[in-house]
Amino acid sequence: MSQHTFVLNGSRVTVEVADDVRLLWVLRDILGVTGPKYGCGLNVCKSCTSHINGKAFNPCSVPVSKIKESDEITTIEGLPATVGRDLHPMQEAWLEEDVSQCGYCQPGQIMAAVALVRKTKAEGRQITDADLDGLRNICRCGTYSRIRTAIRKGADRM
Amino acid sequence: MAEHRRSPEDPTRRRFLGYLLAAPTLAVGVTWADAALGADEAEASIPSLPQPEDLFDLGDLQNLAALPTSGLISVQVDEDGTASFALHRTEVGQGITTAVAMMIAEELDLPIDKVRITLADARPELLMNQLTGGSNSVRSIFTPVRTASALARQQLVRTAAARWDVPEDEVATRDGVLSHRSGKSATYGSLAKVAASDRTVQVSVSLKAVEDFRVLGKPQNRIDALDIVTGRKRFGMDIQVPGAKPCMVRRPPTINGTVRAVRNADAVKAMPGITDVAVIRYGVAVRGETFGQCVDGLRALDVDWNPGTVDGESDATVLAKLRKARLPLAVPPLGALSVEAEFTFAFASNAPLEPDNAIADVRPDRAEIWSTLKVPIDARQDIARQDIARQLGLPVDKVVVHVVTGGGSFGRHLFHDVAAEAAEISQKMGKPVKLSWSRTDDFRQGRAHPMCVSRVRATHLLGNVLTYEQRHTSSETSFSHGLGEMITSTAAELPIAGNYTFAQTIFLLSQSVPYNFGVVTQLLNEIPLKFNTGSMRNIYSPNVVCAQELVVDKLAAKLGKDPVAFRREFLKDDRLRAVMEEVVVEGRWGRPLPKGVAQGIGLHAEYRGAVAVLVEVDCRPETVNRPISDGVTGPRVTKATIVIDAGLPLNPRGLEAQMIGGLNDGIALALTSSLHIKDGIPLEGSWDNYFYTRQWNTPPDVRVVVLPPTTGTPSGAGEIAVAPSFAAVACAYARATGTTPTTFPINHGELGFEPFPLQPSTPASPTNGLDSAF
Ligand code: FES
Ligand code: FES
């Protein structure tokens, strides 16, 4: 057992848990933050996608000991606050396109989409079909087309 | 102010019965029996072979005859001006709660955001009506829910009219407000108490005519969308029950293997975070502080296993058994005048994205279960409760079953395997548990759509098709979730002759060839193998229809006709004809495409709806071999057009979503997703092994057209697009490559991944997740 401190959705948190427990379980089982979903625990399905210092990553595949005190972890719950609003533009686009079916994959989809748009903007270019093809997040309900439309819409407003 | 009174009652219009219930605020109830009768009458003009869901209704009527008011579903109006309804179906992503909220908003003249829908616990008195399957939800709810809502509105109008001393037909309702031209007005909330009844009385009402709909038939976004995109929506895994700590199971190396000995249970129990270890029916359960520690614990267990139920079986042995069991074709082949084909469909997983999970709190004298269950109630008993009660040795009324919103279902949640297992574990440990299967458990030990072989022979002469025979042979599909008993018990009433098994009955009732092909026979034979099976989205239809449409294309080619021209000539179903003509225009059938790229069309009518799908598939090497790490690429569907005649489309936006979902399922079944069985277990262990459609497989160009109403009844929508999409992709692939595939999915022959070891049964989570951050 040891103590781990990091910044979660804007607040500093400290948890006491074994070093090798993956961050996803620290978030879900200890801190009760359930936006990131468990879909595989193998860094494959991407339904747990969250942000570390603004970049998309999968907490199911990162031991809590690898998270530094200064690291800022953002889950879907903390996404709107990163833009100082009730909803992030990507979430609004998701609502307008009525993307969700069962919804289980969607927090992860949105977090991945935001990171993808940030990345392409930083590279000074628009989202392409190839960028969208490269998203690995599974949606077993098959909402892919609406996801593609929503990402383009959200990107225009970010 | 605009007048919103309804047209004066037409005395010839059908009235529906319900009850004002004794309650503190306005509450009305409707029995399924009355409402279902109304629905049947309204549908009398649509000739179609009864489908299973109709038969359930039939059975319900018999059962309900003796229960005048016990099977009530009810709508309540509360003082805050909202209407509430406890839905006796589960939501697994198909938008059923949204559709029901629309029905209530429509008849009650209430904004949709003032409608509250919750999921009802298991209610034995609702019998088979508490079953979400076979795409029957919306159809069977349509009349009862509207009736209850209309009764509530009527009672509010009566109450206001009496208060204001004006005739009832001068009271208008809109957006939750009652008004009179004199300027008087009142909100529903303000009258909710006054309108309440102090005793239960029977009342009747007529429903809005379709032409007067203001909510139904208009595109409506999902009512749970905001909760979903903010992460607030609670799935089974997210529910907190005091003391219900995470729990996972070490599972056997073959399907349904059992524990012979555990050598180090005490050592594992002493591991960090682990609280309990218990041997259960199909493995060893580990309970701990976090799921991650449960994974570590189950991996550390040293277990000896007994064999499972299909240890010697692999794809090849199952296929050989299926081939042996094929029923004979009756019409002798006539050389050049017959078209023959046989197709093999691999095992496929119906696992949703959310792994199977359940919470159980079993005490010596009572038990409480939380899980996503599509069939919390059986026709005669409450299966989930009954089974669990029997297993636990408790009286049924001491077992409470809560239905939880699910992260997808696709057939998986028709069963209560995980709920029963959670109960077993909780009882053995004497503590509450939150059980989750691992992803690998879901693929390797979870239920699957079984392998099957479909053989077709058609004969033709002088441009006419004389016979069409299809023999479908499948490894057994389990229906042991209540539908089976229901159908079997009403077998005497079914419009089919002979002594069929339940599976054959479902097959006969759900399949029919929509073409004028002379003498048509379609038969099913099943071989009893002890795999864990269950129906998957659209049950037999995806396989049967794919085989059928490929043979139709072959017949067209043989007769020198274009696939669409041939279908136009032979189709006997007018609704299918209409959706086909629309898809041909919308999807630009016959437009020039480069070599290696082709169009394909698939048609399917079921659940009282009709769908046509037209796709374009790119099979050129540069597309097929495009590189994606750890992902199957292969041919790409580049464009898809879907046209649906949904009878009476209630929510075009939701229908469109279901069409897109069905399309992606069809693409997966045709091109990429299957289970490879080897020595008694599937090799697949993750989503990079089981290749459901991904972004790099999905068409960048998808268009859905929902036709205007064609009948007075909403069709099913959740499953109907899978079969024609699968067929369209298969037909397009055959035309693009010049070869009709005979095994599906087309990539099943080669294993595109390195399987995870069979033991320990759940792989360790990686530790290098930060390397792939972007
Ligand atoms: S749960 Fe993290 S990638 Fe699947
Ligand atoms: S919405 Fe169900 S998995 Fe994506």
Side-chain angles (χ1 to χ4, degrees):
Chain A
M1 270 315 219
S2 47
Q3 285 208 338
H4 304 272
T5 300
F6 53 93
V7 180
L8 175 61
N9 294 330
S11 309
R12 185 157 298 276
V13 293
T14 299
V15 285
E16 193 145 309
V17 65
D19 283 0
D20 61 347
V21 174
R22 308 302 187 269
L23 181 63
L24 178 63
W25 307 118
V26 174
L27 296 174
R28 291 185 53 89
D29 298 341
I30 298 176
L31 296 168
V33 176
T34 54
K37 303 298 179 201
Y38 166 66
C40 71
L42 299 168
N43 201 3
V44 166
C45 76
K46 307 290 175 179
S47 60
C48 66
T49 305
S50 302
H51 292 169
I52 181 161
N53 306 321
K55 288 185 158 194
F57 82 117
N58 291 89
C60 69
S61 300
V62 180
V64 64
S65 57
K66 288 202 180 179
I67 307 296
K68 297 194 289 286
E69 259 198 69
S70 57
D71 281 339
E72 298 200 11
I73 307 295
T74 308
T75 66
I76 188 77
E77 288 91 342
L79 181 66
T82 61
V83 289
R85 308 199 352 211
D86 287 345
L87 284 176
H88 188 277
M90 195 60 79
Q91 291 170 308
E92 284 170 357
W94 239 252
L95 292 178
E96 284 167 28
E97 292 304 312
D98 201 31
V99 174
S100 306
Q101 289 193 26
C102 81
Y104 198 75
C105 72
Q106 303 297 352
Q109 301 277 8
I110 293 169
M111 297 305 278
V114 168
L116 175 66
V117 172
R118 280 186 193 145
K119 186 171 117 165
T120 53
K121 288 209 182 230
E123 291 167 9
R125 59 185 189 84
Q126 297 264 311
I127 295 260
T128 63
D129 267 325
D131 289 323
L132 297 172
D133 281 2
L135 282 171
R136 299 194 72 91
N137 299 55
I138 294 265
C139 176
R140 182 61 183 81
C141 298
T143 65
Y144 297 113
S145 335
R146 286 187 177 176
I147 289 174
R148 294 171 89 95
T149 314
I151 293 179
R152 290 204 155 96
K153 198 173 212 178
D156 288 344
R157 300 178 192 166
M158 270 173 67
Chain B
M1 188 181 147
E3 270 300 293
H4 302 297
R5 277 183 296 124
R6 298 196 183 170
S7 17
E9 287 289 323
D10 171 354
T12 65
R13 259 181 73 197
R14 190 186 154 71
R15 293 185 71 81
F16 292 83
L17 290 178
Y19 300 87
L20 281 174
L21 304 176
T25 63
L26 173 58
V28 292
V30 172
T31 71
W32 284 100
D34 297 333
L37 271 175
D40 279 355
E41 281 193 7
E43 289 177 16
S45 65
I46 309 153
S48 82
L49 200 65
Q51 294 189 319
E53 52 263 43
D54 303 322
L55 299 164
F56 299 150
D57 290 348
L58 204 106
D60 297 339
L61 293 182
Q62 293 163 343
N63 290 326
L64 282 163
L67 300 168
T69 58
S70 71
L72 287 178
I73 52 139
S74 84
V75 169
Q76 282 158 41
V77 177
D78 301 312
E79 283 186 279
D80 62 0
T82 62
S84 352
F85 178 71
L87 181 63
H88 44 282
R89 290 286 198 282
T90 188
E91 174 67 83
V92 287
Q94 302 185 339
I96 173 83
T97 48
T98 304
V100 170
M102 290 172 75
M103 294 173 199
I104 294 170
E106 182 70 70
E107 286 293 346
L108 203 43
D109 288 338
L110 191 67
I112 196 159
D113 60 6
K114 294 212 166 164
V115 180
R116 305 245 147 93
I117 309 281
T118 56
L119 300 183
D121 288 350
R123 289 177 60 187
E125 77 282 11
L126 288 181
L127 309 178
M128 276 312 281
N129 279 308
Q130 195 170 35
L131 184 148
T132 316
S135 287
N136 72 334
S137 287
V138 163
R139 264 189 40 217
S140 61
I141 282 172
F142 187 52
T143 304
V145 169
R146 283 188 308 145
T147 302
S149 311
L151 284 168
R153 177 193 167 274
Q154 174 174 279
Q155 179 65 8
L156 287 163
V157 165
R158 284 186 179 159
T159 308
R163 279 211 148 178
W164 301 336
D165 198 18
V166 299
E168 279 172 33
D169 65 3
E170 287 182 10
V171 177
T173 50
R174 175 124 196 194
D175 293 342
V177 178
L178 298 130
S179 61
H180 184 256
R181 57 165 185 263
S182 60
K184 291 195 172 70
S185 80
T187 62
Y188 287 4
S190 68
L191 292 187
K193 252 185 158 155
V194 200
S197 182
D198 53 5
R199 66 211 157 85
T200 296
V201 286
Q202 195 171 45
V203 278
S204 76
V205 74
S206 59
L207 302 181
K208 260 193 196 173
V210 171
E211 310 81 77
D212 297 332
F213 283 173
R214 296 170 48 228
V215 180
L216 290 169
K218 312 278 182 302
Q220 170 68 47
N221 285 3
R222 294 277 301 252
I223 57 172
D224 49 355
L226 181 63
D227 282 348
I228 290 172
V229 304
T230 52
R232 287 199 290 263
K233 179 165 173 173
R234 302 241 154 224
F235 296 88
M237 287 281 278
D238 305 331
I239 293 175
Q240 306 289 348
V241 170
K245 287 194 198 290
C247 180
M248 282 190 143
V249 175
R250 170 73 174 268
R251 295 184 191 279
T254 56
I255 289 174
N256 300 333
T258 55
V259 178
R260 187 181 306 152
V262 185
R263 296 212 185 78
N264 62 345
D266 288 340
V268 170
K269 205 177 154 190
M271 285 173 65
I274 302 300
T275 62
D276 299 82
V277 174
V279 173
I280 58 166
R281 193 164 168 214
Y282 293 122
V284 186
V286 178
R287 178 177 178 272
E289 299 299 330
T290 66
F291 280 105
Q293 287 160 315
C294 293
V295 171
D296 294 344
L298 74 87
R299 287 179 58 80
L301 284 166
D302 187 358
V303 189
D304 278 347
W305 299 98
N306 292 313
T309 49
V310 289
D311 278 12
E313 303 292 348
S314 295
D315 277 348
T317 61
V318 177
L319 183 57
K321 290 189 170 113
L322 289 172
R323 289 229 164 99
K324 261 206 195 129
R326 288 178 305 199
L327 295 173
L329 294 158
V331 181
L334 298 173
L337 297 182
S338 76
V339 167
E340 279 199 53
E342 180 169 292
F343 306 96
T344 302
F345 302 94
F347 278 88
S349 174
N350 61 10
L353 182 54
E354 179 188 31
D356 288 47
N357 64 80
I359 296 171
D361 184 358
V362 178
R363 306 293 169 100
D365 57 340
R366 66 190 161 82
E368 207 169 350
I369 314 282
W370 290 257
S371 195
T372 303
L373 298 166
K374 282 191 154 197
V375 196
I377 302 296
D378 178 39
R380 271 149 199 81
Q381 311 136 3
D382 161 349
I383 324 179
R385 278 209 319 176
Q386 182 87 7
D387 278 7
I388 293 169
R390 197 186 306 130
Q391 170 198 317
L392 298 175
L394 287 173
V396 172
D397 64 355
K398 295 294 178 208
V399 179
V400 177
V401 174
H402 304 284
V403 181
V404 175
T405 313
S409 170
F410 317 109
R412 180 62 67 96
H413 297 310
L414 286 167
F415 295 85
H416 54 274
D417 305 318
V418 71
E421 193 174 70
E424 180 190 2
I425 297 169
S426 175
Q427 188 178 43
K428 289 199 167 138
M429 293 181 177
K431 293 172 187 170
V433 296
K434 181 195 274 192
L435 170 67
S436 177
W437 290 16
S438 75
R439 169 53 51 206
T440 312
D441 295 341
D442 260 21
F443 283 129
R444 289 190 168 161
Q445 300 281 350
R447 291 179 182 270
H449 177 71
M451 180 188 276
C452 53
V453 169
S454 222
R455 188 176 185 193
V456 184
R457 180 186 289 160
T459 61
H460 59 96
L461 193 65
L462 303 174
N464 271 317
V465 180
L466 305 179
T467 62
Y468 177 94
E469 297 177 279
Q470 188 160 10
R471 300 291 178 267
H472 199 70
T473 316
S474 178
S475 180
E476 197 169 72
T477 301
S478 171
F479 287 104
S480 61
H481 44 58
L483 292 88
E485 200 193 320
M486 188 65 205
I487 282 265
T488 319
S489 62
T490 51
E493 323 278 334
L494 301 185
I496 50 171
N499 183 20
Y500 293 102
T501 65
F502 171 69
Q504 287 167 324
T505 305
I506 282 270
F507 184 82
L508 286 170
L509 291 172
S510 57
Q511 302 308 318
S512 68
V513 175
Y515 301 100
N516 284 311
F517 281 171
V519 179
V520 171
T521 57
Q522 284 179 298
L523 296 175
L524 168 72
N525 195 25
E526 293 198 320
I527 55 169
L529 278 176
K530 296 291 161 218
F531 283 95
N532 295 330
T533 61
S535 50
M536 183 159 82
R537 204 171 184 182
N538 212 189
I539 320 185
Y540 298 108
S541 303
N543 306 139
V544 173
V545 172
C546 174
Q548 168 202 295
E549 293 291 90
L550 282 168
V551 168
V552 167
D553 271 16
K554 273 177 176 274
L555 278 166
K558 207 116 183 258
L559 299 179
K561 294 200 167 128
D562 164 84
V564 166
F566 178 88
R567 283 175 173 80
R568 211 171 257 145
E569 191 175 332
F570 285 93
L571 264 181
K572 61 179 179 190
D573 181 322
D574 286 341
R575 293 174 68 190
L576 272 181
R577 185 181 295 279
V579 289
M580 182 182 79
E581 296 302 347
E582 183 77 17
V583 95
V584 159
V585 175
E586 281 294 329
R588 297 182 55 210
W589 174 259
R591 78 183 181 115
L593 291 167
K595 196 168 153 22
V597 183
Q599 294 179 319
I601 195 162
L603 308 178
H604 184 52
E606 198 177 347
Y607 313 112
R608 302 200 174 184
V611 172
V613 179
L614 194 171
V615 299
E616 292 177 5
V617 175
D618 184 346
C619 298
R620 293 174 295 180
E622 61 270 31
T623 300
V624 171
N625 302 320
R626 66 200 188 279
I628 295 273
S629 72
D630 295 317
V632 156
T633 48
R636 175 107 191 238
V637 180
T638 48
K639 186 172 178 215
T641 311
I642 307 175
V643 178
I644 176 168
D645 168 356
L648 180 64
L650 297 184
N651 180 5
R653 197 114 213 248
L655 278 166
E656 184 186 285
Q658 290 305 306
M659 295 303 104
I660 298 170
L663 169 71
N664 283 308
D665 277 28
I667 292 172
L669 292 172
L671 301 179
T672 57
S673 76
S674 56
L675 294 171
H676 294 80
I677 311 295
K678 185 154 181 276
D679 301 331
I681 196 161
L683 295 177
E684 278 69 11
S686 91
W687 295 105
D688 276 353
N689 303 167
Y690 188 79
F691 286 111
Y692 181 73
T693 306
R694 304 282 276 269
Q695 281 291 7
W696 57 86
N697 308 113
T698 207
D701 181 355
V702 178
R703 207 176 130 67
V704 178
V705 178
V706 178
L707 293 188
T710 56
T711 72
T713 316
S715 75
E719 304 176 90
I720 193 171
V722 181
S725 300
F726 185 177
V729 175
C731 289
Y733 178 84
R735 295 178 81 223
T737 60
T739 313
T740 302
T742 54
T743 300
F744 290 100
I746 57 157
N747 76 339
H748 186 72
E750 33 185 296
L751 199 63
F753 60 93
E754 180 63 39
F756 288 110
L758 295 179
Q759 289 292 311
S761 51
T762 291
S765 292
T767 52
N768 61 352
L770 288 178
D771 299 349
S772 47
F774 67 90

